[in-house]
Structures are given as structure tokens and as C-alpha cells.
Amino acid sequence: MNIVLFGPPGAGKGTQSALLVDRKQMKHISTGDLFREAMKNQTPLGVKAKSFVDAGKLVPDEIVIGMVAEVFKNLKGQSFILDGFPRTVPQADELEKMMSGMNLNIGKAVFLEVPRETLMRRLTGRRVCNSCGAVYHVDSKPTRQEGICDVCGGQVVQRKDDHQDVIGTRLEAYDKSTSPLKQYFASKGLLSEVNGLGATEEVYGRLASQIA
Ligand code: AP5
């Protein structure tokens, strides 16, 4: 089953996607990761996206949609998780068009529900590996050696958009542009809501039961 995994910044979309990739062999399509990779490599896409991503603003729809269309060209029949896309109603409409043109469909749109004060704690304490992208948290998932990735030995840093001043802008963008997707997917009979609070494995259990 192909799924959309959505929810506010810090809800745990990336963390849960990593488990789904590992345990259900799904393909993870994260527009945030694609932008960060493009920014790191300073590609034309990365250069266009950088000012938006660093400021916590949404990248314009036409740029995001073009990027996802490229990814879709290379799908090889594997079930996938869309993480961070769609993030606006126009993106969701485009996704529907793209998928119907390829005879594909979304089986569920899973909303990860997490209260705001928890989001702030998760985002301000998140650290990521510069090399392999592994995700840590200073309290709930610290690295064994400070600043060094357990997986690859790379440098573990704070994302620019995880600084407190930028988080506010991201949450505003979520409230204004992404939260209406709940109603959008509900009206299509695709919405499934999962409580994102609790240990990572507990959340995974709830999520996996929705997409079994
Ligand atoms: P993106 O990377 O998609 O950011 P986001 O949606 O804000 O999501 P996050 O990556 O911040 O959080 P997450 O839900 O994945 O949480 P995580 O699992 O890491 O997008 C970044 C930017 O790119 C956007 O701001 C925008 O500029 C641009 N962009 C991307 N897509 C776009 C689109 N479609 N349209 C326009 N612009 C777009 O967890 C967070 C922390 O919490 C971690 O430290 C983790 O260890 C911890 N944690 C997770 N689960 C638990 C748990 N159960 N208990 C305790 N701690 C936990």
C-alpha cells in the first residue's frame, strides 16, 4: 500500500518512515530530505530551495511538484511513503493527477498527531548526521559519543531550521497551508489518525496496524 504520512514539523514522520523502510521494505520519499540533499550538493534545485528551507517557509508548489514528478519517473513498483508531500491542497491535487496518470493510488493518508509543546521539545533537541542523515535527539536518542554519528562516524549537527526562531515560522506554515489536508483526505475517505505520543515503538505499532 502507498501511504502519505503527514503531520506538523517534529511529529515523527522521518523516524517512523525509517522503521517502515526497514520492516516493510517501503520506499521513503521525503521532500525535506530531497531538498537538503540538493542544498548540500548546491544543485540548481538546492540553490532555489535554500532561502525558503532555511527560513522555515514552504518552497513554492511548482518547484516541489516538478521535483516529485522526477522521483515518480523512477518508481519501480515498490510501495512508497510520501513524507512531507503533499503539504498544500494544490500539491495534493497535483499528486492525485500524477498518480492517476500512472495507474497508482494512495491507500491511506496517515496523520501523526502530537501536541505543540512536545513538538517544540522534539525540534529544538533534534540533531542530524551531516553525512548519512541519521536522526538523534539530545534527550530521547543521544549519540553514544557527543557530536559523532553512531552509524557512520559523521558529524552530528543541528538543522538550521530547528533553531527556535525558525520553528515558529514552520509551525505557522503548517497551520495555514498543511493542516487543511486533514479535511482534504477525510473527504476522500483516506484519512487515518495516529497518536504520535509515546515511545517510538509504541507509535510504530499504532501506525503499522493502520496500514496492515
Ligand atoms: P521536512 O524535512 O519535511 O520537515 P518537517 O515536515 O518540518 O518535518 P521534520 O523533518 O521537522 O519532522 P519529522 O516529523 O520528520 O520528525 P522526526 O522524525 O525527525 O521539510 C523541511 C523544509 O523543506 C520545509 O520547512 C520546507 O521549507 C521544505 N519542504 C519540504 N517539503 C515541502 C513541500 N511539500 N512543499 C513545500 N516545501 C517543502 O522527529 C523529530 C525529533 O523527535 C527527532 O529528534 C526524533 O528523534 C524525535 N522523536 C521522533 N519520534 C519520537 C518519539 N516517539 N518520542 C520521542 N522523540 C521522538
Side-chain angles (χ1 to χ4, degrees), residues 35 44-45 48-49 52 59-69 91:
F35 283 131
L45 174 73
K48 273 192 219 158
F52 297 98
V59 177
D61 285 341
E62 61 277 14
I63 298 178
V64 188
I65 290 163
M67 177 176 80
V68 173
Q91 289 180 18

Side-chain angles (χ1 to χ4, degrees), residues 15 17 26 48 64 68 70 82 98 114 118 142 144-145 147 149 156 159-160 163 166-167 169 172-173 175 205 209-210:
T15 301
S17 294
M26 294 173 82
K48 273 192 219 158
V64 188
V68 173
E70 284 303 310
L82 282 171
M98 268 192 265
V114 174
T118 306
R144 284 193 292 271
Q145 207 185 329
C149 178
V156 170
R159 262 168 56 174
K160 253 194 187 161
H163 291 275
V166 184
I167 292 173
T169 309
E172 274 169 32
D175 288 339
S209 72
Q210 294 293 315

Side-chain angles (χ1 to χ4, degrees), residues 74-126:
N74 296 314
L75 283 179
K76 294 191 178 79
Q78 196 181 2
S79 293
F80 56 82
I81 313 150
L82 282 171
D83 161 8
F85 180 88
R87 226 179 181 97
T88 63
V89 170
Q91 289 180 18
D93 286 334
E94 267 314 309
L95 172 67
E96 197 175 359
K97 274 191 230 156
M98 268 192 265
M99 292 195 66
S100 72
M102 297 174 75
N103 248 339
L104 291 171
N105 71 315
I106 294 293
K108 283 264 167 77
V110 183
F111 175 72
L112 268 186
E113 172 110 55
V114 174
R116 195 102 340 166
E117 61 276 15
T118 306
L119 296 176
M120 285 307 282
R121 268 201 308 279
R122 288 190 184 176
L123 290 167
T124 52
R126 173 168 52 191

Side-chain angles (χ1 to χ4, degrees), residues 9-199:
K13 304 179 292 294
T15 301
Q16 294 300 325
S17 294
L19 296 177
L20 288 170
V21 168
D22 192 41
R23 298 173 190 181
K24 292 192 181 283
Q25 288 72 49
M26 294 173 82
K27 182 177 167 64
H28 183 207
I29 303 172
S30 157
T31 43
D33 286 351
L34 290 169
F35 283 131
R36 280 184 288 277
E37 186 63 21
M39 284 159 56
K40 194 165 131 189
N41 296 326
Q42 299 183 345
T43 66
L45 174 73
V47 171
K48 273 192 219 158
K50 186 172 170 39
S51 61
F52 297 98
V53 175
D54 284 352
K57 294 182 179 160
L58 293 187
V59 177
D61 285 341
E62 61 277 14
I63 298 178
V64 188
I65 290 163
M67 177 176 80
V68 173
E70 284 303 310
V71 174
F72 270 35
K73 281 185 194 160
N74 296 314
L75 283 179
K76 294 191 178 79
Q78 196 181 2
S79 293
F80 56 82
I81 313 150
L82 282 171
D83 161 8
F85 180 88
R87 226 179 181 97
T88 63
V89 170
Q91 289 180 18
D93 286 334
E94 267 314 309
L95 172 67
E96 197 175 359
K97 274 191 230 156
M98 268 192 265
M99 292 195 66
S100 72
M102 297 174 75
N103 248 339
L104 291 171
N105 71 315
I106 294 293
K108 283 264 167 77
V110 183
F111 175 72
L112 268 186
E113 172 110 55
V114 174
R116 195 102 340 166
E117 61 276 15
T118 306
L119 296 176
M120 285 307 282
R121 268 201 308 279
R122 288 190 184 176
L123 290 167
T124 52
R126 173 168 52 191
R127 300 292 182 270
V128 294
C129 175
N130 239 344
S131 305
C132 72
V135 176
Y136 299 91
H137 190 279
V138 290
D139 301 319
S140 62
K141 198 183 170 207
T143 50
R144 284 193 292 271
Q145 207 185 329
E146 204 183 326
I148 306 292
C149 178
D150 295 351
V151 180
C152 75
Q155 202 192 354
V156 170
V157 297
Q158 185 170 31
R159 262 168 56 174
K160 253 194 187 161
D161 61 345
D162 277 346
H163 291 275
Q164 201 132 9
D165 48 334
V166 184
I167 292 173
T169 309
R170 289 165 65 198
L171 290 170
E172 274 169 32
Y174 167 78
D175 288 339
K176 180 166 170 264
S177 305
T178 309
S179 64
L181 288 178
K182 247 174 114 172
Q183 182 53 40
Y184 178 95
F185 287 122
S187 73
K188 295 188 180 285
L190 294 175
L191 181 70
S192 168
E193 297 186 58
V194 167
N195 176 0
L197 271 184

